[in-house]
Structures are given as structure tokens and as C-alpha cells.
Amino acid sequence: MKKLSNKERIVAVAERLFAERGYDGTSLREITREAGVDVALVRYHFGNKQGLFDELLRRRAEALNLERSDALDAVLARNDPAPVEEIVDAFTHTLLNKVVSEDPTWRSYFGMLAQVNNNPEWGGKAMSRHFDPLVRRFLDALRRAMPDADETNLFWCYHFWSGALTLTFADTKRIDALSGGLCHSSDFEAVHQRLVPFISAGFRALCQPQGDNTHD
Amino acid sequence: MKKLSNKERIVAVAERLFAERGYDGTSLREITREAGVDVALVRYHFGNKQGLFDELLRRRAEALNLERSDALDAVLARNDPAPVEEIVDAFTHTLLNKVVSEDPTWRSYFGMLAQVNNNPEWGGKAMSRHFDPLVRRFLDALRRAMPDADETNLFWCYHFWSGALTLTFADTKRIDALSGGLCHSSDFEAVHQRLVPFISAGFRALCQPQGDNTHD
DNA sequence: GTCTATAGCTTGATAGAC
DNA sequence: GTCTATCAAGCTATAGAC
């Protein structure tokens, strides 16, 4: 553990605990106890519990959005309309690369996102606020790649995509049991190899109409 | 409101509140206050808070598993190996039909499942306990439909599928904002039309190898 | 089965000294 | 920026009367 300020120590521990136990499952006293700082410092630095959580969400979202936007730009600079696979890849691999290789605290951040994305009370609003502008850029690129796509299909495909990513980041170890130890929910490299072709095929099935592809 | 026993009133309210606010975000006092019964009755009927939650999970899982197992049997009786689409359909539509048409309390149940499936602490175990035997039957059918499939790919495809379904049931209204009001997260009929072709295409892309379809 | 009463603890928040 | 001290409120769990 490097020399961190008290504020940084709160941030580091809070990110991990919120990811593991959720917002309501984590108390300020647990956070500050593990961080070795006084409870009252949360109020001083972040106002209150929700302020702390929001700040954690905001911090990394900014950096992430810039990076993913650049990844999309690079794809489109080579080719516009770009192939579906490359667009999906730009969105997805930026995340998965962080989890696979870089500093391990990103895993906690994505674990937090998994909980936020599935929270029926305020999760939708929070995700929209932080990520929808970026998502719209990706959907624009996909719309140019599949110009005959029905608008609603594009949005629902993104929804399925987001759900698949989210469950991955939740890292619940269910697939470990289901597969009898063959797969591991924390094997983000395995997801990295499979998610792009899976999602791209889904997009093509619904958004590149040859006749009507909807079901029923 | 019909004439319900106190136990039934607790069940009804608890299901709704757990779905809306999660396990940690819901207190026994809220549940019993809304149900109009005494807090101590939770202890009498369910032991404790976790016992109540587990019972809610278990109750409907049984009925659901029987129904979905029958749906798979019907598909396989017509054709084995069955087409991928029909297998996916049997798994998915049993759920979505309940949400679209039948008694509205099923929505709460699926909302609870969405929270459990994404819970990194005990969610994986709980989902496995209640649903993995059934899921294995479906994966067996899919394996026969795509005999050259790599085993790990089958499991990961199910994982993506589960994630897409789960986010749907979380019903966070994010897609409402993202789509500018064009789509609604509670429009399970729309999901019903799109999820089966989306997921089936993903399975085919990864599990019906023509050369290597993994990415990178 | 249902209720009263309460034990025992934890929670988020905050006033105020340093 | 940091800490002590404390508040009011909430929580789960449970013993015991009816």
C-alpha cells in the first residue's frame, strides 16, 4: 500500500466494498474502519454516503468515455461505415482490456457498474447520465453500418449487449458451478474472445433485415 | 385485495419490495408495515429475513422449472435435435409469457431474480441451486443441435443469454431515456420478439464452427 | 397464530474542539 | 483536515403473554 491520503483511502476501500456488497449492503463504518480513517471524514470529503458513491461513479466514467470515444474514432477513421464487429469491439474491448491487464481496481469499478445497471430504482438514470452520450455515438456508427435497421431494434440490441456485459462484470461464479469448473466467471479473457462475435451476430440478425427477422 | 392470510400478505409485499429495493435495501419493518401485520410474524412463519427471501425464491422456482422442462420436452418431441431457435424459445418465452400476460406478481419475482443473478456474494450459488439442473437440460439439447460446439462456448453463450434476460427483468427504464422514448424497459412484448433471434444468432456464431469464430 | 415489549446493536449524520 | 462525542433513528431478533 502506497502512501495514500485519507480521501484516497476512503475511495479505494469504498469502491471495493460497494462492488462486493452493493450500496445498501455497505456501511460507512465498514468503509472507514477498513480504510483506517474516521467516519466523519466521509462527510467532510463527500458530503454523505450518496455523494461518495456518485463521486466514485463519476471519476472513472469520464476517463473511460474519452478512451472509448477515441477507440471508435480510430475504427471510423479506417472505414466509415465500419464493420459491425469493429464497432462492437471498440466498445467492449476497452472495458475488458482494463479488467484483464491493468490495475486491479478497475474490476471493482465495473463491479459497481454491474450493480448500478441492474438497480431498478435509480440505476437507469445513473447509467444514462454517465454513459448514454457515448452509447449514442456507437449506435450512430452501427446505424451507418446497417442502414436498413429498424430504430427500435438497434436500441434493444444494445440493451441485450449491456446485459451480457453487466452479468460478466458482476462476477458471480455461477458459470463455474454450471460448467463443472470448466469456465470461470472471472476469466475476462474468455469473455473478451467470445462476446464480440456473439453480440455482432445478434445485431446482424435483427438489424440487417432480409425479410423480417423478428420472432412470432 | 382478496382475503389473504397474514403469511400470504407478508409474501406478497415482500416480493414486491425486494424486487424494487433489493435484499439489503428492504427492511422487515417496511414489509410488515405495508402488509399490516406484526414484525414478529416473520420470525414465526419464516425464521428470519434470509429465510423469508429464500422461501420467496424457492416457491416459484419449482413451478417455473416444471413448466420450462415441459416446454423443452414438447420441442424435442417434435424434433431431436431441435432447431436452436426452438430451444431458445422454450427457455425464454415461458418467462416472458408470464410477465406479459399473467398475474402481475410474476414481474416482482423476476425482478428479484434479476437482483439475485447479479449479486456477487451469494447470487451465483442461489441461481445455481434453483436453476442449473434445468439449464443443463437446455444446454444438452443445444449441444445435440450443434454437435461440433466447443463446450466452453456453450456455457459462455448461456451466460450472455442470462445477462440479457436479467437486465430485461431489472426493468430500469434506461432504454426509455436512451431511445428518447421510442422503447420502454417494461415492454416485455418487444423483448419477446427480439431476444430469441438475437440469442440464437449468437449461439450459432460461436457454437456452429465454420473455421474458428472466436475473436482475436 | 398473533401481539406487546424490548434487548442489543448498527446506521447515517453532525456539532464542535483542535 | 482530522478527531471525539453523541444523537436520533433504524434495524433484526426474540422472550413471553394471550
Side-chain angles (χ1 to χ4, degrees):
Chain A
M1 185 83 89
K2 328 266 166 53
K3 264 176 68 178
L4 297 174
S5 69
N6 280 340
K7 185 175 179 180
E8 289 166 328
R9 298 165 68 82
I10 293 173
V11 164
V13 174
E15 204 161 44
R16 183 165 50 76
L17 291 184
F18 280 139
E20 287 172 8
R21 316 187 194 173
Y23 181 80
D24 291 311
T26 308
S27 75
L28 294 181
R29 304 186 113 92
E30 280 178 287
I31 293 170
T32 52
R33 198 185 311 129
E34 278 203 39
V37 307
D38 193 279
V39 215
L41 286 186
V42 171
R43 173 174 163 78
Y44 177 76
H45 287 296
F46 305 97
N48 56 23
K49 186 181 182 181
Q50 189 68 50
L52 167 58
F53 191 86
D54 289 344
E55 170 59 15
L56 295 182
L57 227 53
R58 194 200 53 74
R59 257 178 6 122
R60 306 223 197 208
E62 276 180 23
L64 208 49
N65 283 334
L66 285 176
E67 231 179 291
R68 294 164 103 188
S69 198
D70 287 349
L72 179 60
D73 287 340
V75 166
L76 295 177
R78 279 206 306 279
N79 231 327
D80 193 352
V84 173
E85 276 75 8
E86 292 189 23
I87 301 169
V88 172
D89 183 80
F91 186 87
T92 302
H93 279 184
T94 315
L95 303 182
L96 291 170
N97 282 335
K98 290 212 169 305
V99 173
V100 169
S101 55
E102 274 183 60
D103 107 70
T105 60
W106 275 100
R107 257 179 77 159
S108 293
Y109 181 68
F110 293 123
M112 281 185 56
L113 283 189
Q115 311 226 16
V116 174
N117 201 27
N118 274 276
N119 182 302
E121 288 194 293
W122 40 266
K125 265 196 196 18
M127 292 300 289
S128 282
R129 176 155 35 94
H130 290 298
F131 298 110
D132 278 2
L134 177 81
V135 171
R136 286 207 188 84
R137 283 207 64 210
F138 276 84
L139 290 180
D140 289 342
L142 286 164
R143 195 178 290 114
R144 290 198 296 279
M146 299 174 288
D148 295 327
D150 178 89
E151 272 297 287
T152 58
N153 283 345
L154 275 172
F155 291 116
W156 280 113
C157 285
Y158 170 73
H159 169 88
F160 300 146
W161 182 9
S162 175
L165 253 180
T166 294
L167 182 58
T168 298
F169 289 136
D171 193 10
T172 65
K173 312 233 181 308
R174 181 184 176 191
I175 199 174
D176 302 48
L178 175 63
S179 70
L182 205 60
C183 304
H184 301 284
S185 70
S186 55
D187 183 0
F188 298 102
E189 186 64 38
V191 175
H192 176 98
Q193 289 172 355
R194 291 165 177 87
L195 188 60
V196 173
F198 186 95
I199 297 298
S200 300
F203 264 103
R204 288 192 195 284
L206 279 171
C207 300
Q208 262 180 352
Q210 45 233 25
D212 180 18
N213 281 293
T214 60
H215 187 266
D216 279 23
Chain B
M1 185 82 90
K2 328 264 167 57
K3 265 175 69 181
L4 297 174
S5 71
N6 280 340
K7 186 174 178 182
E8 289 167 328
R9 299 164 67 82
I10 292 173
V11 164
V13 174
E15 204 162 44
R16 182 165 50 77
L17 290 184
F18 280 139
E20 287 170 9
R21 315 186 194 172
Y23 181 80
D24 291 313
T26 308
S27 75
L28 294 181
R29 302 187 109 90
E30 280 178 288
I31 293 170
T32 51
R33 198 184 310 128
E34 279 204 38
V37 306
D38 194 278
V39 215
L41 286 186
V42 171
R43 172 172 164 80
Y44 177 75
H45 287 295
F46 305 98
N48 57 23
K49 185 181 181 180
Q50 189 69 50
L52 168 58
F53 191 85
D54 289 344
E55 169 60 15
L56 295 182
L57 227 52
R58 193 199 54 74
R59 254 176 13 118
R60 307 221 196 209
E62 277 181 23
L64 209 49
N65 283 335
L66 285 177
E67 232 180 290
R68 292 163 104 188
S69 199
D70 287 348
L72 179 60
D73 286 339
V75 166
L76 294 177
R78 279 205 304 279
N79 231 326
D80 193 352
V84 173
E85 277 74 9
E86 291 188 22
I87 301 169
V88 173
D89 182 80
F91 187 87
T92 303
H93 280 184
T94 313
L95 303 182
L96 290 170
N97 283 336
K98 289 212 170 305
V99 174
V100 168
S101 54
E102 274 183 60
D103 107 71
T105 61
W106 276 100
R107 258 180 77 157
S108 293
Y109 181 68
F110 293 123
M112 280 184 57
L113 284 190
Q115 311 225 17
V116 173
N117 201 28
N118 274 276
N119 182 302
E121 287 194 293
W122 42 267
K125 264 194 198 19
M127 291 301 289
S128 282
R129 176 155 35 95
H130 292 297
F131 299 109
D132 279 2
L134 176 81
V135 171
R136 284 204 190 86
R137 284 207 64 209
F138 275 84
L139 291 180
D140 289 341
L142 286 164
R143 194 178 291 112
R144 291 198 296 280
M146 299 175 290
D148 295 329
D150 179 89
E151 272 297 288
T152 59
N153 284 346
L154 275 173
F155 291 117
W156 281 114
C157 285
Y158 170 73
H159 169 87
F160 300 146
W161 183 8
S162 175
L165 253 181
T166 294
L167 183 57
T168 297
F169 289 135
D171 192 10
T172 67
K173 312 234 181 308
R174 180 183 176 194
I175 200 175
D176 302 49
L178 175 63
S179 70
L182 206 58
C183 305
H184 301 284
S185 71
S186 55
D187 183 359
F188 297 102
E189 186 63 38
V191 174
H192 175 100
Q193 290 172 353
R194 291 165 178 86
L195 188 61
V196 173
F198 185 95
I199 297 298
S200 301
F203 264 102
R204 288 192 194 284
L206 278 169
C207 299
Q208 261 180 351
Q210 42 234 25
D212 181 17
N213 282 293
T214 59
H215 188 266
D216 277 23

